[in-house]
Amino acid sequence: MDDSANTRGAHHPSAAPILSHVQVRPLLHARRDGATTASISLDLGLTTVVVTLDADGMVLPGGARPRWDEVERIAESETKCFLVEAAGIREIQRFSEHTNWLRTLYPTEGAPTMLVSGVLMHRIRGTDPLRDTLTKIKTLAPVTGRVLDTATGLGYTAIEAAKTADEVVTIELDPAAIEIARLNPWSRALFTNPRIRQLLGDTGEQVASFDDGSFARIIHDPPAFSLAGELYSGAFYRELFRILGRGGRVFHYIGDLDSHSGRRVTPGILRRLHEAGFARVVRRPEAFGVLAYK
């Protein structure tokens, strides 16, 4: 395996302020009420600081001074997060020439998610990205030994699994996803936890390089079927079966099993998993996926 594609405990850049409509709308109310200071989170809800409000805008720790017109722009955008720099604000968004997918850091009341070519990476209706991640992880409990995460994204799955696993190997196809994760305050442990090993490359090729029975748990949370159909194929499932140890489990995220698309694709997924050798495949509708046992 090409070690140049591996990063273990990689350095996370120093954090610049990041804001979304969730953080700045209360600040605008404070300004209208005549306040000269206000509490605000500059890392999407993880911590709070007190900032000064003046006629021109905010005065942030470190010297950045977003103008009120920039703050208004952030407040009006419900689907984007913004990096605050000395030169101004910019959207946290990347177009990938590798995949031709547009990726955007998408705010919520808690941890952000990522919008990938119009598709959200996590559930946010009736839940949030962290609870969504924990629901997936819970299907594999206890999460021990060596764990494979087949699609890094923002790294939430790898971060949670690494709290109890011996090692988590996480694979990401798209460098643009890692670029956005590096800017996301909620993804920091992806780059600092020594139990997380990142691989950059094609998931199918990386999986084919692993030894037989080398993982105790696998979390397979691929992009939508329309974006990555090969990760739903019988050939790929046979590789997952091969690299999974005896008694191991795979959680396969699909989406709402009772939706129109879920009812269309789930029977084929169940059939192909059985054909790949999995002894038992159980529907887990609360986690929007299925659990396969070896």
Side-chain angles (χ1 to χ4, degrees):
M1 190 177 297
D2 183 2
D3 286 339
S4 66
N6 299 353
T7 57
R8 186 188 296 271
H11 172 67
H12 192 281
S14 58
I18 296 177
L19 296 171
S20 77
H21 71 95
V22 176
Q23 288 75 47
V24 303
R25 284 179 178 173
L27 190 105
L28 290 171
H29 289 303
R31 179 201 180 199
R32 284 193 286 269
D33 291 340
T36 56
T37 62
S39 293
I40 187 173
S41 176
L42 303 179
D43 53 12
L44 301 179
L46 289 172
T47 62
T48 58
V49 298
V50 175
V51 299
T52 300
L53 313 180
D54 62 21
D56 297 321
M58 290 190 289
V59 182
L60 305 184
R65 294 180 59 94
R67 303 185 312 271
W68 287 122
D69 64 310
E70 294 176 317
V71 177
E72 293 280 2
R73 179 185 166 200
I74 296 170
E76 292 168 0
S77 178
E78 296 189 349
T79 60
K80 295 174 183 174
C81 298
F82 293 79
L83 193 66
V84 181
E85 301 173 308
I89 63 171
R90 62 183 173 99
E91 302 166 354
I92 300 181
Q93 188 173 66
R94 298 286 188 276
F95 176 76
S96 173
E97 295 182 357
H98 188 77
T99 60
N100 289 323
W101 297 345
L102 180 66
R103 293 179 177 268
T104 305
L105 193 63
Y106 185 103
T108 76
E109 293 288 335
T113 183
M114 196 186 302
L115 190 65
V116 184
S117 290
V119 179
L120 289 174
M121 282 181 48
H122 301 89
R123 289 189 287 152
I124 61 173
R125 183 176 298 176
T127 185
D128 59 61
L130 273 190
R131 278 195 290 159
D132 180 36
T133 299
L134 291 170
T135 302
K136 297 170 188 174
I137 294 288
K138 188 177 179 181
T139 65
L140 292 168
V143 179
T144 57
R146 194 168 183 235
V147 176
L148 174 64
D149 170 28
T150 64
T152 306
L154 289 174
Y156 298 163
T157 298
I159 291 167
E160 290 300 324
K163 291 178 178 179
T164 56
D166 295 335
E167 180 187 48
V168 177
V169 178
T170 182
I171 306 169
E172 178 54 56
L173 169 69
D174 194 349
I178 300 301
E179 290 178 28
I180 289 181
R182 283 188 176 277
L183 294 173
N184 177 25
W186 292 77
S187 298
R188 286 175 188 157
L190 179 65
F191 304 94
T192 59
N193 189 330
R195 289 197 296 274
I196 298 176
R197 177 184 173 201
Q198 294 183 55
L199 302 178
L200 185 62
D202 179 86
T203 296
E205 293 175 3
Q206 296 286 354
V207 165
S209 73
F210 295 136
D211 292 337
D212 293 359
S214 54
F215 293 95
R217 300 286 187 269
I218 298 175
I219 304 153
H220 184 42
D221 187 0
F225 185 87
S226 59
L227 297 176
E230 70 279 3
L231 298 183
Y232 297 77
S233 69
F236 183 75
Y237 295 162
R238 287 192 292 276
E239 284 295 299
L240 294 185
F241 183 82
R242 179 185 65 80
I243 66 174
L244 190 66
R246 183 177 178 85
R249 306 172 197 170
V250 177
F251 173 72
H252 186 336
Y253 180 84
I254 298 170
D256 186 354
L257 302 185
D258 295 319
S259 68
H260 175 73
S261 61
R263 290 193 299 272
R264 179 173 54 85
V265 302
T266 301
I269 290 171
L270 294 172
R271 174 179 53 79
R272 291 190 295 276
L273 286 168
H274 281 297
E275 290 173 351
F278 290 97
R280 187 160 63 103
V281 184
V282 180
R283 292 165 59 95
R284 295 299 297 264
E286 81 286 358
F288 278 35
V290 299
L291 188 63
Y293 294 80
K294 182 171 181 177

